[in-house]
Amino acid sequence: MEKIIYRRPVQYYETDRMQIVHHSNYIRWMEEIRVAFMKEHGMPYHQLEADGILMPVLGVTCQYQMPLQFGDIFSAGCHITDYNGVRLTLSYEIYKEGCDRCCVTGTSQHCFTNADRKPIRLPRRNAALHDLFLSLLEQDIAEKL
Amino acid sequence: MEKIIYRRPVQYYETDRMQIVHHSNYIRWMEEIRVAFMKEHGMPYHQLEADGILMPVLGVTCQYQMPLQFGDIFSAGCHITDYNGVRLTLSYEIYKEGCDRCCVTGTSQHCFTNADRKPIRLPRRNAALHDLFLSLLEQDIAEKL
Amino acid sequence: MEKIIYRRPVQYYETDRMQIVHHSNYIRWMEEIRVAFMKEHGMPYHQLEADGILMPVLGVTCQYQMPLQFGDIFSAGCHITDYNGVRLTLSYEIYKEGCDRCCVTGTSQHCFTNADRKPIRLPRRNAALHDLFLSLLEQDIAEKL
Amino acid sequence: MEKIIYRRPVQYYETDRMQIVHHSNYIRWMEEIRVAFMKEHGMPYHQLEADGILMPVLGVTCQYQMPLQFGDIFSAGCHITDYNGVRLTLSYEIYKEGCDRCCVTGTSQHCFTNADRKPIRLPRRNAALHDLFLSLLEQDIAEKL
């Protein structure tokens, strides 16, 4: 079972007329999970932004296996699945609490820019963050061996 | 009947599990209507912002008489109901097309600031916009007499 | 100081181009706070809905005194300020953690309906919920004396 | 150049603190575009739902090449890139008006269910819609040859 790093109740306003969470909201949840993941590893995203490092989203994918509803609590895991100093890919697994199955999976791909949105190379700009991403990537690879 | 200055279909993602438009979205519609109202009067809001004039929201009210649903088209009117150079109040009426009744009414109150969010006096800062708000206010008063 | 019944971080996607929380999101927060308030008092809203009792929103008001930003944590209090068996009014106070001032206040007014959205009288339909609302109203009145 | 089937202004509330459209909103735009695409081809989605045919989203992908901002108008094309009677894949291209480059591309994959969310085979359930999807798929293949 996945290590859970984030959990919260589904909000009423996140549902749609099918009476399930609207599919666009899982993209927002991936952002919440990513922010919690960064914070858990000592690198709060709002501090990175304050330091002039942005991580714009280059792309997302999301697969919906089972819908969540109002009244459910979701929990989530997050992994670094690729990182090379200029690009970062995260994967997400979203669970419904009290139910073993993974409900939604997704990925997001990011680059790194300064406050003017010019691309930066992370190893030069923030070595600690670079080392963190690298070690988390290695950890993810090791777990899959 | 109200003069209509904005219309568009209800979006699927704007509905909630009651199968009606979530009440928070009407606050967003009021913003869409306000932006269309400013544009119709030759003062596009994105140009005001580019000129360093912001109109932050101080307060909103909204009354829900009849819900709208996916498949409906909404139309809306907008009026200036108060203006004194430092504060502006707008009122909104939202209709369901093909149905005479007003479905939702609301108001928003605004001040004026520069790009650093310091309050400004509009008569000094943008006389044309001041004159526009004043004449629209007079027009609203005249219509009610 | 207000009794806090809900707190969570501001989400990135809740901000707008003014770099503050978009004003419409506080209406959504009021819903989150209301849901937490009902749960805290042993009446989870998703169970009420499952029992065929809905609390549609008749109206909202919201006053914005100080903006919140990404990186902030908000906390909130909630009170019943009016209740008569067919109508319920709640008030909300939203704080920025680490800052004493109340940032946003609001109210929401509700009626009670069955699953077909026909109005119901709560005392007959769910006496326990009626008693709860009444005692919370009395408590709010007592606190203000 | 792509055939444009949908256009509208970017809304203020769709922007985030990077001052660009939040990446999750493009997933919502894909839904708007899909709804407009169905309507343009004589199959309004709200009528399909009224007839008991739902098209739940199985997955989405989205690539962000250039951000849109408040003040921009977006326009969009839509194609059927796969269809086999039980699965449908649509692709989307989003442009900024007055700028030739495609800003955002995406795909959505759908199945077909009845109102109880049980899978249905479209050829049996709605032959006209089946024929439409098939002919639009053939058209897309023909254009690429």
Side-chain angles (χ1 to χ4, degrees), chain B residues 32-88:
Chain B
E32 291 185 43
I33 297 163
R34 184 163 67 246
V35 165
F37 178 79
M38 300 285 287
K39 192 181 178 192
E40 159 140 335
H41 291 292
M43 295 285 181
Y45 188 62
H46 69 275
Q47 286 185 10
L48 282 188
E49 281 209 349
D51 292 345
I53 298 179
L54 306 185
M55 291 172 44
V57 181
L58 298 178
V60 294
T61 68
C62 196
Q63 297 79 41
Y64 310 99
Q65 277 115 47
M66 205 173 83
L68 279 96
Q69 302 184 328
F70 178 62
D72 292 339
I73 292 170
F74 81 81
S75 58
C78 182
H79 294 267
I80 290 185
T81 55
D82 206 5
Y83 173 68
N84 64 5
V86 294
R87 289 272 189 289
L88 173 73

Side-chain angles (χ1 to χ4, degrees), chain A residues 49-62:
Chain A
E49 280 210 349
D51 292 344
I53 298 179
L54 307 185
M55 290 172 44
V57 181
L58 298 178
V60 294
T61 67
C62 197

